[in-house]
Amino acid sequence: MANLDQLNEGRIHQALIFLAETDIKDAELSGQEKELSEGLKSVKSALYLDAEGTDGLRKAMAEASAVYSAAVREWVEVWTQWKTLNNQRQHEIRLIDLFRTLEASRRRGNII
């Protein structure tokens, strides 16, 4: 978190620019995550249908397959990228909210 002395209009300007510049990337990563999440279900279902044996065995074989493991790794990679960007965006939003609160308090004379 930034030092409150460094929380000025310039820093808020940077936060707003970051948010504006990452809007599309955030949406794209969120969409990719949803697509891959649904794809995991399809991969697992296809592998389950191709397997033989009891219900539990077919499920275990599907989840243990290299194809499913690769799909999970791809999903985790995209989810991690999206979550990291989302966390950074939320941090900038909190800074903006904190700046608003501090400025309102300064205007009322509660903070020097």
Side-chain angles (χ1 to χ4, degrees), residues 70-90:
V72 168
R73 279 193 302 278
E74 185 179 5
W75 172 78
V76 167
E77 183 179 320
V78 169
W79 183 85
T80 301
Q81 290 174 20
W82 172 71
K83 191 63 178 170
T84 299
L85 180 60
N86 186 265
N87 287 346
Q88 291 168 336
R89 290 173 55 83
Q90 292 305 311

Side-chain angles (χ1 to χ4, degrees), residues 44 47-48 51 54-65 68:
K44 187 175 176 181
L47 292 166
Y48 177 88
T54 65
D55 182 60
L57 181 60
R58 293 170 75 184
K59 182 179 176 186
M61 289 174 67
E63 290 174 349
S65 76
Y68 185 73

Side-chain angles (χ1 to χ4, degrees), residues 1 21 30 32 44 46 64 71 74 76 88 91 94:
M1 176 86 174
E21 289 177 346
S30 177
Q32 283 181 316
K44 187 175 176 181
E74 185 179 5
V76 167
Q88 291 168 336
H91 175 77
R94 285 189 299 272

Side-chain angles (χ1 to χ4, degrees), residues 1-17 92-103 106-107:
M1 176 86 174
N3 183 331
L4 291 182
D5 294 336
Q6 297 172 344
L7 192 55
N8 55 35
E9 289 179 8
R11 178 61 182 90
I12 298 308
H13 181 73
Q14 288 175 338
L16 291 169
I17 289 172
E92 298 301 318
I93 290 168
R94 285 189 299 272
L95 286 180
I96 292 167
D97 289 343
L98 179 58
F99 180 77
R100 285 181 184 158
T101 301
L102 291 172
E103 286 299 302
R106 286 181 184 127
R107 282 192 299 277

Side-chain angles (χ1 to χ4, degrees), residues 10-33:
R11 178 61 182 90
I12 298 308
H13 181 73
Q14 288 175 338
L16 291 169
I17 289 172
F18 176 79
L19 290 171
E21 289 177 346
T22 58
D23 276 344
I24 293 172
K25 182 66 174 177
D26 184 63
E28 289 172 347
L29 286 171
S30 177
Q32 283 181 316
E33 186 278 329

